[in-house]
Amino acid sequence: MAGLYFEEFEVGQLFKHSLTRTVTEMDNVLFSTLTMNPQPLHLDKEFASKTEFGQILVNSLFTLGLVIGISVGETTLGTTIANLGMTDTRFPHPVFYGDTIRVETTIISKRLSKSRGDAGIVEFEHRGINQRDEVVCLCRRSGFMKCRPA
């Protein structure tokens, strides 16, 4: 599915994205090592077993990337000029190996660009939710979006 143009977004619009993803140990190990993050909570089973979580936690930046990535196909695929920023990012519950993540996106605001007549800024709120219906990631993201071609 192609992404939507600026005009096609409405404030309050809710997307319940159809794509889901089960997180694996390989996802976490590769992401953590590729990003040079040696945190034992993400990579050392023995260390993690002695924490309050009792097991390895999935790297939260992987979770953030996954949540935003799941949203792309139904919102911004091919219609984004650039991401302008992410704010209010939180991880209320941890993600563990085997958790399946689904995503909901709400359109928070939109406005035409003052410097370009062919683009606008859309603010998205993404929510990642696991199979236990726990919110594992919240993030507001501003996207610089193309307007529909004339």
PDB file of all heavy atoms in Angstrom, residues 80-108:
ATOM      1  N   THR A  80       6.708  10.705   2.287  1.00  0.00           N
ATOM      2  CA  THR A  80       7.461  11.487   3.265  1.00  0.00           C
ATOM      3  C   THR A  80       8.634  12.182   2.582  1.00  0.00           C
ATOM      4  O   THR A  80       9.364  11.552   1.817  1.00  0.00           O
ATOM      5  CB  THR A  80       8.034  10.574   4.371  1.00  0.00           C
ATOM      6  OG1 THR A  80       6.978   9.906   5.016  1.00  0.00           O
ATOM      7  CG2 THR A  80       8.824  11.361   5.396  1.00  0.00           C
ATOM      8  N   ILE A  81       8.799  13.458   2.874  1.00  0.00           N
ATOM      9  CA  ILE A  81       9.993  14.182   2.439  1.00  0.00           C
ATOM     10  C   ILE A  81      11.102  13.941   3.463  1.00  0.00           C
ATOM     11  O   ILE A  81      12.235  13.668   3.104  1.00  0.00           O
ATOM     12  CB  ILE A  81       9.697  15.683   2.268  1.00  0.00           C
ATOM     13  CG1 ILE A  81       8.646  15.869   1.168  1.00  0.00           C
ATOM     14  CG2 ILE A  81      10.982  16.462   1.979  1.00  0.00           C
ATOM     15  CD1 ILE A  81       8.050  17.262   1.107  1.00  0.00           C
ATOM     16  N   ALA A  82      10.747  14.043   4.752  1.00  0.00           N
ATOM     17  CA  ALA A  82      11.727  13.825   5.820  1.00  0.00           C
ATOM     18  C   ALA A  82      11.018  13.665   7.154  1.00  0.00           C
ATOM     19  O   ALA A  82       9.909  14.182   7.350  1.00  0.00           O
ATOM     20  CB  ALA A  82      12.682  15.013   5.903  1.00  0.00           C
ATOM     21  N   ASN A  83      11.661  12.959   8.068  1.00  0.00           N
ATOM     22  CA  ASN A  83      11.244  12.990   9.465  1.00  0.00           C
ATOM     23  C   ASN A  83      11.834  14.242  10.083  1.00  0.00           C
ATOM     24  O   ASN A  83      13.017  14.536   9.885  1.00  0.00           O
ATOM     25  CB  ASN A  83      11.761  11.760  10.220  1.00  0.00           C
ATOM     26  CG  ASN A  83      10.902  10.551  10.011  1.00  0.00           C
ATOM     27  OD1 ASN A  83       9.676  10.639  10.028  1.00  0.00           O
ATOM     28  ND2 ASN A  83      11.528   9.406   9.820  1.00  0.00           N
ATOM     29  N   LEU A  84      11.029  14.979  10.820  1.00  0.00           N
ATOM     30  CA  LEU A  84      11.505  16.224  11.429  1.00  0.00           C
ATOM     31  C   LEU A  84      11.908  16.040  12.881  1.00  0.00           C
ATOM     32  O   LEU A  84      12.645  16.861  13.419  1.00  0.00           O
ATOM     33  CB  LEU A  84      10.424  17.296  11.316  1.00  0.00           C
ATOM     34  CG  LEU A  84      10.029  17.654   9.888  1.00  0.00           C
ATOM     35  CD1 LEU A  84       8.898  18.675   9.901  1.00  0.00           C
ATOM     36  CD2 LEU A  84      11.220  18.173   9.106  1.00  0.00           C
ATOM     37  N   GLY A  85      11.409  15.008  13.515  1.00  0.00           N
ATOM     38  CA  GLY A  85      11.793  14.768  14.894  1.00  0.00           C
ATOM     39  C   GLY A  85      10.833  13.844  15.600  1.00  0.00           C
ATOM     40  O   GLY A  85       9.720  13.587  15.129  1.00  0.00           O
ATOM     41  N   MET A  86      11.299  13.345  16.734  1.00  0.00           N
ATOM     42  CA  MET A  86      10.497  12.474  17.585  1.00  0.00           C
ATOM     43  C   MET A  86      10.573  13.012  18.994  1.00  0.00           C
ATOM     44  O   MET A  86      11.649  13.392  19.462  1.00  0.00           O
ATOM     45  CB  MET A  86      11.032  11.045  17.521  1.00  0.00           C
ATOM     46  CG  MET A  86      10.915  10.449  16.150  1.00  0.00           C
ATOM     47  SD  MET A  86      11.924   8.991  15.967  1.00  0.00           S
ATOM     48  CE  MET A  86      12.138   9.012  14.192  1.00  0.00           C
ATOM     49  N   THR A  87       9.424  13.058  19.663  1.00  0.00           N
ATOM     50  CA  THR A  87       9.371  13.577  21.027  1.00  0.00           C
ATOM     51  C   THR A  87       8.508  12.670  21.888  1.00  0.00           C
ATOM     52  O   THR A  87       7.821  11.784  21.381  1.00  0.00           O
ATOM     53  CB  THR A  87       8.774  15.000  21.070  1.00  0.00           C
ATOM     54  OG1 THR A  87       7.421  14.942  20.603  1.00  0.00           O
ATOM     55  CG2 THR A  87       9.566  15.980  20.235  1.00  0.00           C
ATOM     56  N   ASP A  88       8.536  12.935  23.179  1.00  0.00           N
ATOM     57  CA  ASP A  88       7.676  12.221  24.127  1.00  0.00           C
ATOM     58  C   ASP A  88       7.763  10.711  23.950  1.00  0.00           C
ATOM     59  O   ASP A  88       6.742  10.011  24.013  1.00  0.00           O
ATOM     60  CB  ASP A  88       6.221  12.685  24.019  1.00  0.00           C
ATOM     61  CG  ASP A  88       6.063  14.180  24.262  1.00  0.00           C
ATOM     62  OD1 ASP A  88       6.798  14.703  25.118  1.00  0.00           O
ATOM     63  OD2 ASP A  88       5.231  14.808  23.605  1.00  0.00           O
ATOM     64  N   THR A  89       8.959  10.198  23.730  1.00  0.00           N
ATOM     65  CA  THR A  89       9.144   8.761  23.553  1.00  0.00           C
ATOM     66  C   THR A  89       9.246   8.108  24.922  1.00  0.00           C
ATOM     67  O   THR A  89      10.024   8.538  25.774  1.00  0.00           O
ATOM     68  CB  THR A  89      10.407   8.478  22.724  1.00  0.00           C
ATOM     69  OG1 THR A  89      10.275   9.131  21.460  1.00  0.00           O
ATOM     70  CG2 THR A  89      10.602   6.992  22.500  1.00  0.00           C
ATOM     71  N   ARG A  90       8.421   7.077  25.115  1.00  0.00           N
ATOM     72  CA  ARG A  90       8.399   6.361  26.402  1.00  0.00           C
ATOM     73  C   ARG A  90       8.266   4.868  26.145  1.00  0.00           C
ATOM     74  O   ARG A  90       7.707   4.450  25.127  1.00  0.00           O
ATOM     75  CB  ARG A  90       7.232   6.836  27.258  1.00  0.00           C
ATOM     76  CG  ARG A  90       7.346   8.294  27.675  1.00  0.00           C
ATOM     77  CD  ARG A  90       6.118   8.704  28.437  1.00  0.00           C
ATOM     78  NE  ARG A  90       4.945   8.351  27.636  1.00  0.00           N
ATOM     79  CZ  ARG A  90       3.915   9.151  27.422  1.00  0.00           C
ATOM     80  NH1 ARG A  90       3.861  10.307  27.957  1.00  0.00           N
ATOM     81  NH2 ARG A  90       2.904   8.766  26.679  1.00  0.00           N
ATOM     82  N   PHE A  91       8.737   4.101  27.120  1.00  0.00           N
ATOM     83  CA  PHE A  91       8.658   2.648  27.068  1.00  0.00           C
ATOM     84  C   PHE A  91       8.045   2.153  28.381  1.00  0.00           C
ATOM     85  O   PHE A  91       8.763   1.743  29.299  1.00  0.00           O
ATOM     86  CB  PHE A  91      10.060   2.049  26.844  1.00  0.00           C
ATOM     87  CG  PHE A  91      10.734   2.592  25.614  1.00  0.00           C
ATOM     88  CD1 PHE A  91      11.661   3.625  25.704  1.00  0.00           C
ATOM     89  CD2 PHE A  91      10.425   2.092  24.363  1.00  0.00           C
ATOM     90  CE1 PHE A  91      12.280   4.140  24.573  1.00  0.00           C
ATOM     91  CE2 PHE A  91      11.038   2.602  23.216  1.00  0.00           C
ATOM     92  CZ  PHE A  91      11.954   3.619  23.326  1.00  0.00           C
ATOM     93  N   PRO A  92       6.698   2.207  28.502  1.00  0.00           N
ATOM     94  CA  PRO A  92       6.032   1.871  29.765  1.00  0.00           C
ATOM     95  C   PRO A  92       6.203   0.426  30.222  1.00  0.00           C
ATOM     96  O   PRO A  92       6.155   0.155  31.422  1.00  0.00           O
ATOM     97  CB  PRO A  92       4.561   2.164  29.502  1.00  0.00           C
ATOM     98  CG  PRO A  92       4.513   2.955  28.243  1.00  0.00           C
ATOM     99  CD  PRO A  92       5.769   2.669  27.487  1.00  0.00           C
ATOM    100  N   HIS A  93       6.382  -0.497  29.284  1.00  0.00           N
ATOM    101  CA  HIS A  93       6.602  -1.911  29.604  1.00  0.00           C
ATOM    102  C   HIS A  93       7.736  -2.435  28.720  1.00  0.00           C
ATOM    103  O   HIS A  93       7.874  -2.004  27.576  1.00  0.00           O
ATOM    104  CB  HIS A  93       5.338  -2.745  29.362  1.00  0.00           C
ATOM    105  CG  HIS A  93       4.257  -2.471  30.342  1.00  0.00           C
ATOM    106  ND1 HIS A  93       3.268  -1.533  30.130  1.00  0.00           N
ATOM    107  CD2 HIS A  93       4.008  -2.999  31.558  1.00  0.00           C
ATOM    108  CE1 HIS A  93       2.460  -1.494  31.170  1.00  0.00           C
ATOM    109  NE2 HIS A  93       2.886  -2.378  32.053  1.00  0.00           N
ATOM    110  N   PRO A  94       8.517  -3.383  29.249  1.00  0.00           N
ATOM    111  CA  PRO A  94       9.620  -3.932  28.460  1.00  0.00           C
ATOM    112  C   PRO A  94       9.125  -4.885  27.375  1.00  0.00           C
ATOM    113  O   PRO A  94       8.015  -5.405  27.433  1.00  0.00           O
ATOM    114  CB  PRO A  94      10.455  -4.680  29.501  1.00  0.00           C
ATOM    115  CG  PRO A  94       9.484  -5.054  30.566  1.00  0.00           C
ATOM    116  CD  PRO A  94       8.465  -3.939  30.598  1.00  0.00           C
ATOM    117  N   VAL A  95       9.992  -5.104  26.394  1.00  0.00           N
ATOM    118  CA  VAL A  95       9.751  -6.108  25.360  1.00  0.00           C
ATOM    119  C   VAL A  95      10.733  -7.244  25.599  1.00  0.00           C
ATOM    120  O   VAL A  95      11.918  -7.020  25.845  1.00  0.00           O
ATOM    121  CB  VAL A  95       9.940  -5.510  23.945  1.00  0.00           C
ATOM    122  CG1 VAL A  95       9.820  -6.596  22.881  1.00  0.00           C
ATOM    123  CG2 VAL A  95       8.925  -4.405  23.700  1.00  0.00           C
ATOM    124  N   PHE A  96      10.208  -8.483  25.528  1.00  0.00           N
ATOM    125  CA  PHE A  96      11.007  -9.688  25.713  1.00  0.00           C
ATOM    126  C   PHE A  96      10.998 -10.507  24.432  1.00  0.00           C
ATOM    127  O   PHE A  96      10.123 -10.340  23.577  1.00  0.00           O
ATOM    128  CB  PHE A  96      10.439 -10.540  26.861  1.00  0.00           C
ATOM    129  CG  PHE A  96      10.349  -9.809  28.166  1.00  0.00           C
ATOM    130  CD1 PHE A  96       9.117  -9.446  28.694  1.00  0.00           C
ATOM    131  CD2 PHE A  96      11.489  -9.487  28.893  1.00  0.00           C
ATOM    132  CE1 PHE A  96       9.017  -8.784  29.913  1.00  0.00           C
ATOM    133  CE2 PHE A  96      11.408  -8.820  30.112  1.00  0.00           C
ATOM    134  CZ  PHE A  96      10.169  -8.468  30.622  1.00  0.00           C
ATOM    135  N   TYR A  97      11.952 -11.426  24.309  1.00  0.00           N
ATOM    136  CA  TYR A  97      11.958 -12.342  23.171  1.00  0.00           C
ATOM    137  C   TYR A  97      10.597 -13.036  23.093  1.00  0.00           C
ATOM    138  O   TYR A  97      10.046 -13.460  24.104  1.00  0.00           O
ATOM    139  CB  TYR A  97      13.030 -13.421  23.318  1.00  0.00           C
ATOM    140  CG  TYR A  97      14.449 -12.920  23.391  1.00  0.00           C
ATOM    141  CD1 TYR A  97      15.427 -13.700  23.971  1.00  0.00           C
ATOM    142  CD2 TYR A  97      14.824 -11.689  22.881  1.00  0.00           C
ATOM    143  CE1 TYR A  97      16.747 -13.278  24.040  1.00  0.00           C
ATOM    144  CE2 TYR A  97      16.131 -11.252  22.936  1.00  0.00           C
ATOM    145  CZ  TYR A  97      17.086 -12.053  23.530  1.00  0.00           C
ATOM    146  OH  TYR A  97      18.386 -11.628  23.595  1.00  0.00           O
ATOM    147  N   GLY A  98      10.072 -13.139  21.884  1.00  0.00           N
ATOM    148  CA  GLY A  98       8.793 -13.819  21.684  1.00  0.00           C
ATOM    149  C   GLY A  98       7.579 -12.921  21.763  1.00  0.00           C
ATOM    150  O   GLY A  98       6.475 -13.364  21.444  1.00  0.00           O
ATOM    151  N   ASP A  99       7.757 -11.662  22.184  1.00  0.00           N
ATOM    152  CA  ASP A  99       6.620 -10.731  22.210  1.00  0.00           C
ATOM    153  C   ASP A  99       6.240 -10.358  20.784  1.00  0.00           C
ATOM    154  O   ASP A  99       7.103 -10.139  19.931  1.00  0.00           O
ATOM    155  CB  ASP A  99       6.960  -9.454  22.985  1.00  0.00           C
ATOM    156  CG  ASP A  99       6.892  -9.631  24.498  1.00  0.00           C
ATOM    157  OD1 ASP A  99       6.467 -10.715  24.957  1.00  0.00           O
ATOM    158  OD2 ASP A  99       7.260  -8.685  25.213  1.00  0.00           O
ATOM    159  N   THR A 100       4.957 -10.292  20.540  1.00  0.00           N
ATOM    160  CA  THR A 100       4.446  -9.869  19.237  1.00  0.00           C
ATOM    161  C   THR A 100       3.905  -8.454  19.379  1.00  0.00           C
ATOM    162  O   THR A 100       3.067  -8.188  20.239  1.00  0.00           O
ATOM    163  CB  THR A 100       3.345 -10.826  18.729  1.00  0.00           C
ATOM    164  OG1 THR A 100       3.934 -12.128  18.583  1.00  0.00           O
ATOM    165  CG2 THR A 100       2.789 -10.360  17.389  1.00  0.00           C
ATOM    166  N   ILE A 101       4.405  -7.570  18.530  1.00  0.00           N
ATOM    167  CA  ILE A 101       4.076  -6.146  18.611  1.00  0.00           C
ATOM    168  C   ILE A 101       3.101  -5.766  17.505  1.00  0.00           C
ATOM    169  O   ILE A 101       3.304  -6.103  16.342  1.00  0.00           O
ATOM    170  CB  ILE A 101       5.350  -5.277  18.491  1.00  0.00           C
ATOM    171  CG1 ILE A 101       6.416  -5.737  19.500  1.00  0.00           C
ATOM    172  CG2 ILE A 101       5.025  -3.785  18.653  1.00  0.00           C
ATOM    173  CD1 ILE A 101       5.998  -5.693  20.956  1.00  0.00           C
ATOM    174  N   ARG A 102       2.055  -5.073  17.889  1.00  0.00           N
ATOM    175  CA  ARG A 102       1.139  -4.446  16.933  1.00  0.00           C
ATOM    176  C   ARG A 102       1.212  -2.943  17.182  1.00  0.00           C
ATOM    177  O   ARG A 102       1.637  -2.503  18.253  1.00  0.00           O
ATOM    178  CB  ARG A 102      -0.279  -4.984  17.063  1.00  0.00           C
ATOM    179  CG  ARG A 102      -1.020  -4.565  18.297  1.00  0.00           C
ATOM    180  CD  ARG A 102      -2.438  -5.180  18.328  1.00  0.00           C
ATOM    181  NE  ARG A 102      -3.249  -4.620  19.371  1.00  0.00           N
ATOM    182  CZ  ARG A 102      -3.237  -4.985  20.635  1.00  0.00           C
ATOM    183  NH1 ARG A 102      -2.425  -5.954  21.036  1.00  0.00           N
ATOM    184  NH2 ARG A 102      -4.018  -4.402  21.522  1.00  0.00           N
ATOM    185  N   VAL A 103       0.760  -2.158  16.211  1.00  0.00           N
ATOM    186  CA  VAL A 103       0.931  -0.710  16.302  1.00  0.00           C
ATOM    187  C   VAL A 103      -0.356   0.006  15.931  1.00  0.00           C
ATOM    188  O   VAL A 103      -1.060  -0.392  15.005  1.00  0.00           O
ATOM    189  CB  VAL A 103       2.089  -0.240  15.378  1.00  0.00           C
ATOM    190  CG1 VAL A 103       2.243   1.277  15.402  1.00  0.00           C
ATOM    191  CG2 VAL A 103       3.396  -0.918  15.776  1.00  0.00           C
ATOM    192  N   GLU A 104      -0.626   1.068  16.660  1.00  0.00           N
ATOM    193  CA  GLU A 104      -1.712   2.006  16.339  1.00  0.00           C
ATOM    194  C   GLU A 104      -1.101   3.385  16.196  1.00  0.00           C
ATOM    195  O   GLU A 104      -0.193   3.752  16.946  1.00  0.00           O
ATOM    196  CB  GLU A 104      -2.763   2.015  17.450  1.00  0.00           C
ATOM    197  CG  GLU A 104      -3.457   0.692  17.635  1.00  0.00           C
ATOM    198  CD  GLU A 104      -4.446   0.698  18.787  1.00  0.00           C
ATOM    199  OE1 GLU A 104      -4.519   1.702  19.539  1.00  0.00           O
ATOM    200  OE2 GLU A 104      -5.137  -0.320  18.948  1.00  0.00           O
ATOM    201  N   THR A 105      -1.596   4.144  15.224  1.00  0.00           N
ATOM    202  CA  THR A 105      -1.123   5.507  14.994  1.00  0.00           C
ATOM    203  C   THR A 105      -2.306   6.441  14.956  1.00  0.00           C
ATOM    204  O   THR A 105      -3.297   6.163  14.282  1.00  0.00           O
ATOM    205  CB  THR A 105      -0.356   5.596  13.654  1.00  0.00           C
ATOM    206  OG1 THR A 105       0.784   4.730  13.703  1.00  0.00           O
ATOM    207  CG2 THR A 105       0.095   7.018  13.363  1.00  0.00           C
ATOM    208  N   THR A 106      -2.205   7.544  15.674  1.00  0.00           N
ATOM    209  CA  THR A 106      -3.224   8.590  15.665  1.00  0.00           C
ATOM    210  C   THR A 106      -2.608   9.863  15.103  1.00  0.00           C
ATOM    211  O   THR A 106      -1.475  10.212  15.436  1.00  0.00           O
ATOM    212  CB  THR A 106      -3.755   8.868  17.087  1.00  0.00           C
ATOM    213  OG1 THR A 106      -4.279   7.646  17.622  1.00  0.00           O
ATOM    214  CG2 THR A 106      -4.843   9.936  17.086  1.00  0.00           C
ATOM    215  N   ILE A 107      -3.369  10.559  14.253  1.00  0.00           N
ATOM    216  CA  ILE A 107      -2.914  11.844  13.731  1.00  0.00           C
ATOM    217  C   ILE A 107      -3.257  12.903  14.774  1.00  0.00           C
ATOM    218  O   ILE A 107      -4.426  13.116  15.102  1.00  0.00           O
ATOM    219  CB  ILE A 107      -3.565  12.173  12.367  1.00  0.00           C
ATOM    220  CG1 ILE A 107      -3.337  11.033  11.370  1.00  0.00           C
ATOM    221  CG2 ILE A 107      -3.050  13.519  11.835  1.00  0.00           C
ATOM    222  CD1 ILE A 107      -1.894  10.634  11.177  1.00  0.00           C
ATOM    223  N   ILE A 108      -2.221  13.569  15.285  1.00  0.00           N
ATOM    224  CA  ILE A 108      -2.379  14.555  16.358  1.00  0.00           C
ATOM    225  C   ILE A 108      -2.614  15.957  15.814  1.00  0.00           C
ATOM    226  O   ILE A 108      -3.439  16.710  16.318  1.00  0.00           O
ATOM    227  CB  ILE A 108      -1.133  14.546  17.277  1.00  0.00           C
ATOM    228  CG1 ILE A 108      -0.921  13.151  17.867  1.00  0.00           C
ATOM    229  CG2 ILE A 108      -1.239  15.601  18.367  1.00  0.00           C
ATOM    230  CD1 ILE A 108      -2.071  12.641  18.697  1.00  0.00           C
TER     231      ILE A 108
END
